[in-house]
């Protein structure tokens, strides 16, 4: 007996959209294609896709969802993975924020808490490494525990100096891991900030100029070359930044992965005059020209993947920034709106194709996370994580999101695609942003060279 049959979908393939259905057994895809051997009479549950587009559940490799030291009580791995499920993101990779995960004991504690709360499957990242002594950090211990990614910063508040980043990359490269770097040069940020007076939101992007990103990407690119450590540049904000990162990709001595986020494609610094603190994000927004160039880099493959850098806060916290933009934390919620944004403003506006979207938010991030093809693909034997997307025109409203922070930077935009149905591990987890998955439904996913040990 088939557990679930998704009928009459348009499947996203590398060649484009193809009509087809999907049969699910024991949480995995048992059959997929235009003509299945099973019919609806053989299935316990039938989901009529009615021509909706079916793609693998999205894999968001950059989220900040759980940090009791930093976030209010109702913002935790439960509520935020609920928001992920609502938006068709069925796998998240959670990064440290304020609370360090710099020992395997920190990691074990975070893993246990998150496993109790997770609505979707998840991986973890080690960090934030502000200091690094090879004799004191158990790099192999993280890798054995299924956590091959190590996060560090060239900018405050978690900044590491150049020697520290080189030492970290040498050790992680030798151990078979990847270093992820937030690239903005602090000295450039400091000089820019010193020149600004006042508290107006429009000052914020001016405090974090483009050159800070460009210099830092180049520098850590050379560090990757020098140390032989794979490099993942998080949240590239500009087409120029992507071009600099691409120089190191084309040298091909070590893998270099370039990530961007929806906010850097959706907004430029010119939007800050109307949206103010609702666009306070690090790195900050760049010029409309850089946004156009970044879309080009997303289209042509210079940018490898899109992730959200989801950072949840409440509306009231954010409103404080109208009076003093330096007050609220920087960061935007985005895990629930990523897919709808990329389909509405990417595919439907002719900027990217369905196969490119499949690569950007499913296949490539799953490979980067060491989870492909189990995640990020629709094929027999893979996890039955499936998103159905419906054409529908509507005005974006935080009221209609599962996200509990009561705001979205996209409020009032007109979108043309809606995440209709989300299936994870063969179970229905969300319908039109109503989540039926529960805490504990998601599992920790060991990744990288240590994953086989699980
Ligand atoms: Zn981040």
């Amino acid at each position: 007996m088939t557990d679930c049959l998704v009928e009459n979908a348009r499947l996203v393939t590398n060649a484009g959209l193809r009509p087809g259905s999907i049969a699910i057994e024991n949480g995995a895809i048992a059959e997929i294609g235009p003509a299945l051997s099973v019919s609806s009479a053989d299935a316990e549950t039938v989901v009529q896709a009615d021509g909706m587009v079916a793609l693998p559940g999205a894999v968001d490799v950059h989220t900040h969802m759980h940090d009791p030291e930093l976030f209010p009580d109702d913002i935790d791995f439960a509520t935020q993975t609920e928001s992920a499920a609502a938006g068709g993101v069925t796998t998240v990779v959670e990064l440290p924020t304020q609370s360090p995960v710099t020992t395997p004991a920190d990691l074990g504690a975070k893993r246990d808490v998150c496993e109790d709360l997770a609505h979707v499957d998840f991986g973890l990242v080690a960090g934030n490494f502000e200091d690094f002594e090879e004799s004191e950090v158990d790099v192999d211990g993280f890798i054995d525990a299924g956590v091959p990614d190590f996060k560090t910063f060239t900018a405050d508040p978690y900044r590491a100096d150049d020697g520290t980043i080189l030492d970290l990359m040498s050790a992680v490269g030798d151990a078979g891991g990847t270093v992820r770097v937030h690239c903005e040069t602090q000295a450039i940020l400091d000089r820019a900030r010193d020149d600004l007076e006042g508290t107006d939101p429009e000052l914020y992007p001016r405090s974090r100029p483009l050159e800070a990103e460009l210099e830092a990407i180049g520098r850590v690119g050379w560090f990757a070359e020098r140390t032989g450590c794979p490099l993942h540049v998080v949240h590239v904000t500009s087409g120029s930044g992507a071009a600099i990162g691409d120089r190191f990709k084309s040298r091909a001595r070590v893998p270099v992965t370039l990530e961007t986020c929806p906010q850097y494609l959706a907004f430029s610094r010119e939007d800050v005059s109307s949206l103010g603190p609702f666009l306070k994000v690090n790195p900050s927004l760049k010029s409309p020209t850089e946004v156009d160039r970044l879309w080009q880099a997303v289209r042509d493959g210079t940018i490898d993947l899109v992730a959200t850098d989801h950072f949840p806060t409440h509306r009231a916290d954010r409103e404080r920034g109208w009076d003093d933009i330096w007050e609220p934390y920087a960061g935007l919620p985005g895990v629930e709106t990523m897919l709808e944004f990329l389909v509405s403003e990417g595919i439907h506006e002719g900027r990217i194709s369905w196969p490119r979207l499949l690569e950007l938010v499913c296949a490539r991030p799953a490979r980067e996370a060491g989870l492909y093809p189990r995640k990020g693909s629709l094929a027999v034997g893979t996890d039955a994580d499936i998103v159905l997307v419906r054409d529908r025109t509507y005005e974006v409203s935080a009221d209609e999101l599962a996200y509990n922070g009561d705001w979205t930077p996209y409020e009032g935009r007109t979108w043309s695609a809606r995440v209709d149905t989300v299936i994870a591990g063969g179970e229905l987890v969300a319908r039109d942003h109503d989540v039926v998955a529960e805490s504990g439904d998601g599992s920790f996913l060991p990744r990288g060279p240590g994953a086989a040990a699980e």
Side-chain angles (χ1 to χ4, degrees):
M1 185 91 181
T2 296
D3 299 327
C4 179
L5 181 65
V6 178
E7 263 195 328
N8 301 320
R10 287 184 295 157
L11 310 173
V12 183
T13 73
N14 290 331
L17 298 178
R18 297 284 182 269
S21 300
I22 305 168
I24 299 167
E25 273 170 39
N26 300 322
I29 294 178
E31 228 185 317
I32 180 166
L36 305 189
S37 67
V38 295
S39 71
S40 50
D42 309 318
E44 228 164 273
T45 307
V46 177
V47 175
Q48 275 301 342
D50 292 327
M52 286 189 278
V53 173
L55 74 164
V59 177
D60 184 352
V61 296
H62 189 168
T63 69
H64 302 270
M65 295 183 158
H66 193 83
D67 194 334
E69 301 285 314
L70 176 66
F71 296 134
D73 285 352
D74 64 341
I75 287 185
D76 64 7
F77 211 60
T79 54
Q80 302 315 298
T81 53
E82 196 174 343
S83 180
V89 173
T90 53
T91 304
V92 300
V93 177
E94 160 71 8
L95 275 65
T97 310
Q98 187 172 295
S99 302
V101 181
T102 50
T103 67
D106 297 337
L107 176 74
K110 185 167 183 178
R111 172 188 162 156
D112 289 348
V113 173
C114 289
E115 276 200 309
D116 285 344
L117 302 178
H119 287 58
V120 298
D121 289 349
F122 69 98
L124 294 171
V125 167
N128 295 320
F129 291 97
E130 298 170 61
D131 307 301
F132 181 80
E133 289 292 337
E134 195 170 352
S135 57
E136 288 170 19
V137 177
D138 186 3
V139 170
D140 290 327
F142 279 107
I143 290 178
D144 290 345
V147 174
D149 301 292
F150 298 74
K151 174 82 185 290
T152 192
F153 290 67
T154 61
D156 292 341
Y158 311 112
R159 175 164 52 111
D161 65 28
D162 287 352
T164 299
I165 296 173
L166 279 165
D167 290 344
L168 175 68
M169 291 182 98
S170 293
V172 170
D174 287 350
T178 297
V179 169
R180 298 183 177 205
V181 189
H182 173 125
C183 290
E184 286 181 293
T185 297
Q186 187 61 41
I188 295 177
L189 303 183
D190 289 342
R191 298 304 178 280
R193 177 73 179 87
D194 286 348
D195 289 342
L196 301 174
E197 271 180 47
T199 56
D200 191 278
E202 287 185 70
L203 297 175
Y204 199 73
R206 290 169 58 195
S207 75
R208 304 187 87 93
L210 174 65
E211 295 77 16
E213 170 167 281
L214 304 185
E215 198 281 330
I217 292 174
R219 181 158 33 107
V220 299
W222 289 116
F223 289 0
E225 282 273 313
R226 175 66 199 153
T227 59
C229 178
L231 168 67
H232 177 132
V233 181
V234 295
H235 51 47
V236 175
T237 69
S238 62
S240 296
I244 290 177
D246 193 46
R247 282 172 43 190
F248 297 95
K249 284 209 291 185
S250 58
R251 295 173 68 89
R253 180 165 128 70
V254 288
V256 173
T257 305
L258 303 178
E259 165 198 302
T260 192
C261 311
Q263 54 267 30
Y264 302 116
L265 298 164
F267 304 101
S268 78
R269 65 185 178 210
E270 294 190 357
D271 296 305
V272 176
S273 55
S274 54
L275 291 172
F278 296 103
L279 291 181
K280 181 176 178 180
V281 62
N282 292 343
S284 63
L285 303 171
K286 302 302 189 298
S287 68
T289 305
E290 288 295 344
V291 173
D292 289 346
R293 287 182 186 152
L294 188 61
W295 269 115
Q296 175 60 34
V298 163
R299 186 163 44 241
D300 69 19
T302 307
I303 290 286
D304 296 285
L305 59 90
V306 176
T308 63
D309 198 10
H310 178 84
F311 186 97
T313 53
H314 288 294
R315 169 177 283 275
D317 172 74
R318 199 39 63 128
E319 295 277 9
R320 297 184 300 145
W322 286 115
D323 291 332
D324 183 350
I325 194 57
W326 311 110
E327 271 296 309
Y329 267 99
L332 309 179
V335 72
E336 191 169 346
T337 45
M338 173 172 72
L339 266 182
E340 288 166 348
F341 164 73
L342 287 170
V343 177
S344 298
E345 300 199 23
I347 294 174
H348 290 173
E349 297 293 325
R351 293 178 168 120
I352 54 171
S353 64
W354 280 108
R356 185 73 194 120
L357 179 79
L358 176 69
E359 192 65 19
L360 285 166
V361 297
C362 304
R364 189 67 178 78
R367 269 187 245 116
E368 170 68 13
L371 297 169
Y372 192 85
R374 177 180 168 192
K375 303 292 187 186
S377 73
L378 294 179
V380 172
T382 67
D383 285 2
D385 299 347
I386 300 160
V387 186
L388 299 178
V389 179
R390 178 188 291 284
D391 283 352
R392 184 183 133 190
T393 302
Y394 62 101
E395 203 170 281
V396 179
S397 163
D399 290 346
E400 290 188 25
L401 300 177
Y403 173 58
N404 63 343
D406 193 30
W407 70 283
T408 166
Y410 302 96
E411 186 82 34
R413 276 167 104 115
T414 301
W415 281 354
S416 52
R418 185 93 173 164
V419 169
D420 184 276
T421 301
V422 184
I423 293 167
E427 303 286 335
L428 179 75
V429 297
R431 211 148 214 177
D432 199 32
H433 294 259
D434 281 336
V435 178
V436 295
E438 291 177 359
S439 283
D441 283 356
S443 300
F444 173 74
L445 300 167
R447 307 180 292 111
E454 280 285 310

